[in-house]
Structure formats: structure tokens, C-alpha cells
Amino acid sequence: MANIKQLIEANKNSYARLRNPGSDTLNELKNYNVIKYAMDERSDHGGLAYYNPEDKTLIVAHRGSETRRDWLVTDVQIAVGVKETLADMAAMRFTDSVIE
């Protein structure tokens, strides 16, 4: 099972991957392997998934607000009460694809 430090690193890595999508350099998570990364261009959502084959645990990290589109579109939609943004839908698709 992941500890809090690993969860924090997974989240940091989801931001780092957005800034440098072609990079394979990520902070290591002991016993976890990166199994999937996705960047949804339409919504600006970024997600990163890790799997630990020893204890069969999964970490799915979703990047929060980082880009101009996040701040000017998605965050405004959240503030005015939009129930499901494009980023929310992309996050659910990413998570579903990892679980499958």
C-alpha cells in the first residue's frame, strides 16, 4: 500500500509530465511502475497511473489547475456550479481505462 510520501510524489509527477510530456524522468515511487499517462488536449486534463505488482495496488494521480485554460475555463465552471466539466469527464475516462 502506498504511503503519503509516495502519493505526494505521484501527484508531483503528474504536473512534471505535463510540463515535459516526452520525458521519461519521473521521481521514483518505490515498488511502483508507471503504467499509463494521458493528456487530454480538449480539456487539458492530465493523469498518471502507477501499479505495484507485489501488493497489487494502484495509484491514479490527476493533475489539478496548471494551465491558462484550467484557470479561465474549468475553474470558472467549477466556481459557478457546473456539475461535470470536460476535465472531470476526461479524468473519469482515464481512470476507467486504467482499471480496465
Side-chain angles (χ1 to χ4, degrees):
M1 176 173 268
N3 62 42
I4 191 71
K5 183 178 179 190
Q6 289 171 308
L7 297 175
I8 290 168
E9 286 304 315
N11 182 262
K12 285 180 184 178
N13 286 342
S14 69
Y15 282 86
R17 192 45 90 81
L18 171 72
R19 292 183 198 112
N20 192 359
S23 173
D24 285 335
T25 305
L26 296 171
N27 294 332
E28 288 189 33
L29 300 183
K30 186 177 180 183
N31 302 324
Y32 283 85
N33 303 314
V34 173
I35 58 168
K36 188 167 190 170
Y37 169 76
M39 176 64 189
D40 183 75
E41 297 296 329
R42 187 166 169 232
S43 69
D44 236 6
H45 169 268
L48 186 59
Y50 293 87
Y51 182 70
N52 181 335
E54 291 176 19
D55 65 8
K56 296 180 175 45
T57 57
L58 176 69
I59 298 172
V60 180
H62 299 277
R63 180 193 51 79
S65 299
E66 173 80 358
T67 66
R68 179 182 298 191
R69 180 178 175 20
D70 294 334
W71 293 102
L72 298 177
V73 178
T74 304
D75 291 355
V76 171
Q77 290 175 333
I78 293 167
V80 299
V82 172
K83 298 272 188 235
E84 196 170 77
T85 67
L86 288 176
D88 293 331
M89 291 183 277
M92 288 185 277
R93 280 191 309 273
F94 176 72
T95 302
D96 288 343
S97 73
V98 170
I99 291 170
E100 288 174 7

